[in-house]
Structure formats: C-alpha cells, structure tokens
Amino acid sequence: MFTDRSGLIVWISDLKAATKQLDRYGSVHFISKKLHYAAMYVHAAKLEDTIKQLQKLPFVKKVERSYRNELPTEYNSNMPDKTQFYPM
C-alpha cells in the first residue's frame, strides 16, 4: 500500500520556477523562501534517475540525499540501571 520514499534537499536559485516544476519529480514537502531550498520526497526505486534529472534543471544549484531511512531508530541501553544505588 505504501511506497518506499526517499527524501531530497534541492538547493534552488529561482523560487518561482521551483514551485512550478518540482512537482513533476515527486511530492514537495516544504520550500524555504529565506534559505532557498526545497525538501521533497521521491520514489526510492527512481532515486538516482530523479537526482540526475533535477541536476539538469537550470534553477537547481545542488541536490542532496537524505540519509534518514538508513539511520537506526530503535535504541537499546547497554548501561546498567543506576536507580537501584540511590535510596528513596
């Protein structure tokens, strides 16, 4: 039901062109007018092709990939519990 998505940060020089054309390549999540970047999601299967297409656009300065999907989100504690040493 859900498709695998990957995040991209697209650094842009023209905000007006970006708002009109970036929707073709994926879903645009946020566009920063102050810092001139767009955060967007694309299909993970088409990630490399989409990055190459985005870099060819005249208003795109740089495209960065988000590594959030590759970071571990489940943490375990190897430290012993110190609460037993302190009396209540």
Side-chain angles (χ1 to χ4, degrees):
M1 182 172 169
F2 293 109
T3 59
D4 289 334
R5 307 187 304 166
S6 293
L8 292 177
I9 303 297
V10 182
W11 296 94
I12 53 180
S13 59
D14 186 13
L15 291 170
K16 191 171 185 179
T19 56
K20 291 182 179 181
Q21 293 185 13
L22 286 181
D23 283 334
R24 298 178 189 171
Y25 302 99
S27 60
V28 177
H29 181 67
F30 177 74
I31 295 179
S32 172
K33 295 178 182 178
K34 184 176 181 180
L35 299 176
H36 295 282
Y37 75 89
M40 61 184 298
Y41 291 101
V42 297
H43 291 288
K46 301 177 184 177
L47 180 65
E48 295 300 324
D49 295 333
T50 306
I51 290 175
K52 289 178 185 176
Q53 291 174 355
L54 285 172
Q55 288 174 341
K56 291 179 184 177
L57 295 175
F59 59 88
V60 173
K61 294 179 184 176
K62 184 169 75 170
V63 179
E64 294 180 1
R65 208 175 131 220
S66 173
Y67 294 102
R68 185 174 185 204
N69 294 345
E70 299 172 8
L71 294 175
T73 55
E74 296 180 11
Y75 304 103
N76 57 1
S77 177
N78 293 336
M79 301 289 293
D81 189 18
K82 294 183 180 180
T83 57
Q84 62 185 349
F85 299 118
Y86 300 107
M88 303 262 321

